[in-house]
């Protein structure tokens, strides 16, 4: 009977939470590493796909350089996520290629964690012509390999991830004393440094180290929970008894869910709301190992070999971990946080060891969730020379390749990093943002174009309009306001860190480049598309394309060109005609019928920043060239210039 039941067992299904395009848009042929969380999610669930970048020979995807791949991926992966498989794109032979992908994924996983996977692994192939995925599954090391049944794409994957788990974050500043004898060889210095790092990692479980576990900053209606865990009690905590008949909150059995607020954000919105359980490492140097009644102060003396010089190695560790909600926090610290800190120490050791006798790298970890990715990743940057330094740019470019991100926009800069806790978000908001409304077009009704295809702005912007900033520019400042909205787009997409310029600063730029006389500063003189292009070039180095239209009647003829702009560049467009200027955020265009509508953000609004009032009043709305009552939005007897700012090609 048991044999019959086993024989009738359905083949496993492959669940992909990552967006379909992140898998199928990769170049053919190629190899993807599949990332999941087999400890906390359903087996054979994929949360992200990473491209393999390092290869040994001309065989390409079939011969990856696993040591280099492991070194790079080890720093990226957040503890709690794991390699669960490999996927060949552009496969010719399913049986052999899927088996090879399964084998390679197992080898990579072993290099990452020092042991073969005890969880299920998957190897698959994507047909280059159809995009169909076939896969093999091994439920554990040495188990039978079977072909999977179906591929399931996740519904609301960000929410699914958070319902299953949560984030833990631990920061640790270390100053490690490294004594360098004058006659020491380079290999001896490297050995000393390695021993120092290994000792620091071992001390994470020592008797003098404790871990303060706290929830995110408490709100007025929620309690703030915390416990302290001692390092020497964190060696064997995987199997902890839980007594269902008691409500006592033991540090050993309290789950991660106890530290989190009732109202939580799904991982798809983590870029704005990153809540994590905070882990603080405490040092208790007066801890008495002999368990005497009172602590005994201790003094340690470390004689340095003479003659020798002292070099202090400054390290800033910052790790994230992903855990299930019901995992005991003691287990989470022991099996996720401490190994994560040790891993980051090892990664930093490799980056520092070659420069021990020169200028020490200033390594700083940043946690990022770029668009299209559902899980956080960690990038360790050397901040000595800033983000425009060539080596840093090359590192970000490689990360863009690995994550399948576009190469014409900065998605992995330090300003894109997550912030944690309400206080940090307030600090960031006050220094990098403002009280201006953002993305007001997301609340407006549909355009009314039947069968049209919408092409919209890509990214966030701030709504600048008349009377902002205490400046009475009613009747003359609409183009200035459109320029400010465009500038805010570049700033919010991290292409620039300069402040959005005021009217006077815009005028000063035009005087400095020789376009206007000095008397222009402080005036109420209008500007148009040409002047805007000069300012964008001067302040941002951004180029612009300008379309000239002789009459408002001709603007619908430019819809196809505008649609291409929004699909490829995604920047706001300024429309200037006669005495009026508008900001264009998108078009809805039916190519067959020619019917179209323009998504207009009107800078002539003079009221308060009330989103409902702005939307209901039509200050941000779809406008047709001629509405249902025969009224023309764009004037027939006026020419129009359209300014199309270009997206800088940079990472």
């Amino acid at each position: 009977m048991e044999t019959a039941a086993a024989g009738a067992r359905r083949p496993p299904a492959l669940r992909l939470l990552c967006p379909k395009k992140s898998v199928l848009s990769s170049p053919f042929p190629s190899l993807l590493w599949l990332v999941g969380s087999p400890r906390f999610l359903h087996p054979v669930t994929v949360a992200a796909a990473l491209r393999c970048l390092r290869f040994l020979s001309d065989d390409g995807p079939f011969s990856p350089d696993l040591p280099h791949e492991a070194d790079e991926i080890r720093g990226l992966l957040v503890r709690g996520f794991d390699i669960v498989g490999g996927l060949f794109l552009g496969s010719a032979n399913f049986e052999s290629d899927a088996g090879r992908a399964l084998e390679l994924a197992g080898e990579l996983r072993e290099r990452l964690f020092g042991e073969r996977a005890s969880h299920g692994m998957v190897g698959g192939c994507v047909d280059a012509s159809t995009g169909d995925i076939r896969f093999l599954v091994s439920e554990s090391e040495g188990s039978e390999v079977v072909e999977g049944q179906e591929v399931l794409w996740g519904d609301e994957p960000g929410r699914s991830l958070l319902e299953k788990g949560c984030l833990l974050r631990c920061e640790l500043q270390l100053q490690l004393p490294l004594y360098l004898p004058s006659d020491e060889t380079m290999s001896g210095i490297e050995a000393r440094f390695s021993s120092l790092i290994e000792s620091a990692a071992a001390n994470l479980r020592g008797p003098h180290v404790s871990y303060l576990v706290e929830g995110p900053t408490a709100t007025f209606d929620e309690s703030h929970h915390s416990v302290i865990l001692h390092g020497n009690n964190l060696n064997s905590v995987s199997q902890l008894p839980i007594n269902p008949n008691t409500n006592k909150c033991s540090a050993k059995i309290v789950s991660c869910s106890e530290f989190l607020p009732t109202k939580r954000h799904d991982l798809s919105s983590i870029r704005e709301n990153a809540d994590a359980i905070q882990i603080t490492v405490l040092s208790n140097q007066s801890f008495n190992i002999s368990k005497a009644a009172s602590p005994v102060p201790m003094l340690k003396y470390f004689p340095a070999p003479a003659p020798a010089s002292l070099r202090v190695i400054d390290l800033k560790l910052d790790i994230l971990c992903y855990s299930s909600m019901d995992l005991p926090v003691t287990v989470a610290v022991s099996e996720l946080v401490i190994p994560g800190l040790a891993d980051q120490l090892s990664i930093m050791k490799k980056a520092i060891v070659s420069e021990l006798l020169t200028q020490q790298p200033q390594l700083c970890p940043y946690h990022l969730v770029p668009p299209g990715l559902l899980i956080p990743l960690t990038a360790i940057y050397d901040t000595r020379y800033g983000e425009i330094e060539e080596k840093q740019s090359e590192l970000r470019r490689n990360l863009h390749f690995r994550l399948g991100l576009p190469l014409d926009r900065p998605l992995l800069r330090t300003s894109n990093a997550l912030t944690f806790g309400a206080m940090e978000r307030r600090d960031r908001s006050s220094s990098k943002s403002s009280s201006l409304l953002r993305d007001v077009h997301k609340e407006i009704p549909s355009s009314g174009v039947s069968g049209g295809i919408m092409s919209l702005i890509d990214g966030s912007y701030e709504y600048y309009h008349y009377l902002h900033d205490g400046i009475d520019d009613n009747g003359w400042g609409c183009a200035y306001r459109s320029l400010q909205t465009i500038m805010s787009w570049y700033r919010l997409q991290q292409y620039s860190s300069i402040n959005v310029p005021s009217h006077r600063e815009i005028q000063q730029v035009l005087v400095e480049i020789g376009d206007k006389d000095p008397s222009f500063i402080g005036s109420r003189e209008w500007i148009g598309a040409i002047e805007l292009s000069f300012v964008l070039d001067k302040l941002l180095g951004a180029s612009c394309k300008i379309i000239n239209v002789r009459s408002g009647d001709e603007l619908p003829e430019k819809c196809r060109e505008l649609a291409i702009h929004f699909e490829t560049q995604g920047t706001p467009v300024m429309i200037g005609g006669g005495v009026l200027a508008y900001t264009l955020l998108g078009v809805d265009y039916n190519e067959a019928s020619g019917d179209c509508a323009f998504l207009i953000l009107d800078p002539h609004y003079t009221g308060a920043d009330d989103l409902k009032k702005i939307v209901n009043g039509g200050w941000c709305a779809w406008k047709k060239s001629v509405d249902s009552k025969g009224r023309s939005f764009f004037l027939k007897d006026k020419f129009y210039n359209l300014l199309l700012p270009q997206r800088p090609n940079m990472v």
Side-chain angles (χ1 to χ4, degrees):
M1 196 70 171
E2 291 180 0
T3 304
R9 183 180 178 184
R10 296 182 65 189
L14 177 63
R15 292 172 171 82
L16 289 107
L17 302 182
C18 51
K20 197 170 186 177
K21 65 179 181 180
S22 70
V23 175
L24 300 184
S25 64
S26 298
F28 291 88
S30 59
L31 170 62
L32 298 180
W33 304 119
L34 304 180
V35 177
S37 184
R39 181 170 182 177
F40 305 128
L41 301 176
H42 191 280
V44 201
T45 297
V46 176
L50 308 178
R51 289 182 187 174
C52 178
L53 298 183
R54 311 298 177 189
F55 303 100
L56 293 172
S57 70
D58 293 336
D59 289 339
F62 295 93
S63 58
D65 185 346
L66 292 179
H68 280 88
E69 283 290 291
D71 283 345
E72 293 183 11
I73 292 175
R74 180 179 292 108
L76 279 178
L77 277 186
V78 165
R79 273 279 173 168
F81 289 105
D82 204 339
I83 297 295
V84 297
L87 187 69
F88 281 121
L89 281 76
S91 170
N93 186 302
F94 165 68
E95 293 291 344
S96 62
D97 292 350
R100 176 64 173 158
L102 182 62
E103 176 188 2
L104 289 172
E107 292 177 7
L108 176 66
R109 201 273 176 194
E110 185 175 7
R111 288 183 177 275
L112 283 171
F113 297 103
E115 59 185 8
R116 299 291 291 184
S118 60
H119 55 74
M121 299 285 287
V122 59
C125 302
V126 178
D127 187 286
S129 58
T130 65
D132 293 336
I133 300 177
R134 294 180 64 189
F135 62 99
L136 301 174
V137 176
S138 171
E139 294 190 349
S140 61
E141 175 67 19
S143 66
E144 180 185 2
V145 177
V146 298
E147 183 173 354
Q149 181 184 38
E150 60 182 334
V151 177
L152 305 174
W153 297 94
D155 183 31
E156 294 189 6
R159 188 172 299 279
S160 300
L161 282 170
L162 194 71
E163 286 174 352
K164 296 287 185 180
C166 60
L167 298 175
L168 300 92
R169 184 194 187 200
C170 182
E171 298 175 275
L172 177 60
Q173 298 269 4
L174 288 177
Q175 289 187 317
L176 304 180
L178 178 63
Y179 289 96
L180 304 176
S182 58
D183 58 349
E184 187 75 273
T185 63
M186 190 61 203
S187 60
I189 293 173
E190 291 178 1
R192 284 179 178 275
F193 181 53
S194 295
S195 176
L196 190 64
I197 294 293
E198 291 168 6
S199 176
N203 287 338
L204 294 172
R205 296 186 188 272
H208 302 291
V209 174
S210 297
Y211 296 87
L212 172 63
V213 184
E214 301 176 285
T217 304
T219 60
F220 70 95
D221 58 345
E222 293 181 334
S223 61
H224 187 74
H225 191 55
S226 63
V227 297
I228 292 180
L229 309 174
H230 300 289
N232 58 333
N233 295 328
L234 294 172
N235 293 318
S236 303
V237 296
S238 295
Q239 303 297 326
L240 294 174
I242 298 179
N243 184 356
N245 298 319
T246 179
N247 292 323
K248 291 184 178 179
C249 194
S250 166
K252 288 188 176 182
I253 62 174
V254 62
S255 68
C256 291
S257 61
E258 296 291 330
F259 296 86
L260 294 164
T262 304
K263 296 179 181 179
R264 304 176 61 215
H265 304 277
D266 62 67
L267 289 183
S268 63
S269 63
I270 193 176
R271 298 170 191 86
E272 296 292 333
N273 304 286
D275 285 332
I277 298 171
Q278 300 293 320
I279 314 294
T280 304
V281 184
L282 307 174
S283 177
N284 181 9
Q285 292 300 322
S286 63
F287 180 82
N288 187 1
I289 301 177
S290 64
K291 297 183 180 180
S294 59
V296 178
M298 295 184 296
L299 177 67
K300 293 184 179 181
Y301 171 62
F302 299 95
S309 60
L310 171 64
R311 172 160 290 216
V312 177
I313 308 298
D314 292 306
L315 297 177
K316 178 184 178 182
L317 307 184
D318 187 344
I319 66 158
L320 273 188
C321 301
Y322 177 75
S323 168
S324 69
M325 297 286 289
D326 56 0
L327 187 71
V329 69
T330 315
V331 179
V333 171
S334 177
E335 299 187 3
L336 298 175
V337 174
I338 294 178
L341 291 170
D343 262 355
Q344 201 165 89
L345 274 171
S346 176
I347 293 165
M348 290 187 173
K349 179 190 75 174
K350 290 184 178 181
I352 293 172
V353 69
S354 62
E355 299 188 63
L356 275 175
L357 299 181
T358 57
Q359 184 182 11
Q360 180 187 334
Q362 297 174 11
L363 303 178
C364 188
Y366 294 92
H367 309 299
L368 303 136
V369 186
L373 203 69
L374 297 174
I375 68 173
L377 296 174
T378 301
I380 300 177
Y381 294 150
D382 184 350
T383 60
R384 278 180 294 180
Y385 307 116
E387 293 190 304
I388 62 173
E389 195 266 331
E390 184 176 349
K391 187 175 181 181
Q392 284 293 89
S393 297
E394 185 61 27
L395 172 60
R396 288 197 303 274
R397 185 172 295 275
N398 285 337
L399 289 177
H400 276 246
F401 274 121
R402 188 174 293 283
L403 301 177
L405 300 174
L407 298 175
D408 63 350
R409 59 204 68 186
L411 301 175
L412 299 176
R413 294 197 172 195
T414 59
S415 52
N416 300 113
L418 303 179
T419 53
F420 295 85
M423 184 60 70
E424 284 192 50
R425 283 198 289 274
R426 282 197 297 271
D427 292 343
R428 167 174 282 200
S429 176
S430 63
S431 62
K432 295 189 177 183
S433 187
S434 68
S435 60
L436 295 172
L437 290 175
R438 288 189 188 180
D439 307 333
V440 295
H441 70 284
K442 293 183 178 181
E443 303 295 328
I444 67 174
S446 61
S447 69
V449 175
S450 177
I453 297 176
M454 286 189 187
S455 302
L456 302 175
I457 184 176
D458 178 21
S460 292
Y461 61 89
E462 292 173 326
Y463 180 25
Y464 283 84
H465 55 78
Y466 280 167
L467 306 186
H468 256 313
D469 307 320
I471 296 176
D472 182 2
D473 55 349
N474 193 352
W476 62 274
C478 51
Y480 293 85
R481 296 303 185 180
S482 182
L483 175 59
Q484 288 176 326
T485 293
I486 293 171
M487 290 284 294
S488 76
W489 183 92
Y490 280 95
R491 180 178 172 83
L492 291 174
Q493 268 56 244
Q494 315 302 331
Y495 287 112
S496 170
S497 60
I498 68 171
N499 293 326
V500 173
S502 65
H503 295 55
R504 189 177 186 87
E505 289 169 336
I506 293 169
Q507 293 172 342
Q508 286 174 334
V509 169
L510 293 172
V511 170
E512 287 172 7
I513 65 174
D515 180 66
K516 302 292 184 185
D517 294 328
S519 60
F520 177 66
I521 298 176
S523 71
R524 295 192 169 196
E525 188 175 329
W526 298 332
I527 59 175
I530 302 300
E531 287 89 350
L532 266 64
S533 69
F534 292 160
V535 175
L536 289 171
D537 177 58
K538 174 68 175 179
L539 295 182
L540 303 180
S543 61
C544 297
K545 179 179 179 180
I546 295 179
I547 300 175
N548 303 115
V549 180
R550 291 174 298 178
S551 166
D553 281 347
E554 296 181 9
L555 272 170
E557 299 173 11
K558 303 299 180 182
C559 267
R560 182 183 289 106
E561 191 171 352
L562 289 169
I564 293 173
H565 167 82
F566 286 113
E567 290 164 5
T568 58
Q569 303 299 317
T571 63
V573 170
M574 179 270 199
I575 300 179
V579 298
L580 298 175
Y582 301 101
T583 306
L584 180 66
L585 303 178
V587 293
D588 194 353
Y589 179 52
N590 185 323
E591 189 169 356
S593 67
D595 192 16
C596 64
F598 300 82
L599 182 52
I600 298 293
L601 183 68
D602 195 335
H604 303 94
Y605 175 64
T606 58
D609 281 351
D610 183 328
L611 182 58
K612 185 176 181 180
K613 184 178 179 181
I614 291 167
V615 172
N616 291 342
W619 297 102
C620 183
W622 287 101
K623 305 287 186 180
K624 289 195 172 185
S625 182
V626 179
D627 64 18
S628 58
K629 296 181 180 179
R631 293 173 299 191
S632 297
F633 182 75
F634 301 111
L635 304 178
K636 298 179 181 180
D637 59 345
K638 299 293 183 182
F639 72 89
Y640 288 85
N641 288 328
L642 282 70
L643 180 82
L644 284 62
Q646 304 297 289
R647 183 189 288 268
N649 187 6
M650 61 192 296
V651 296

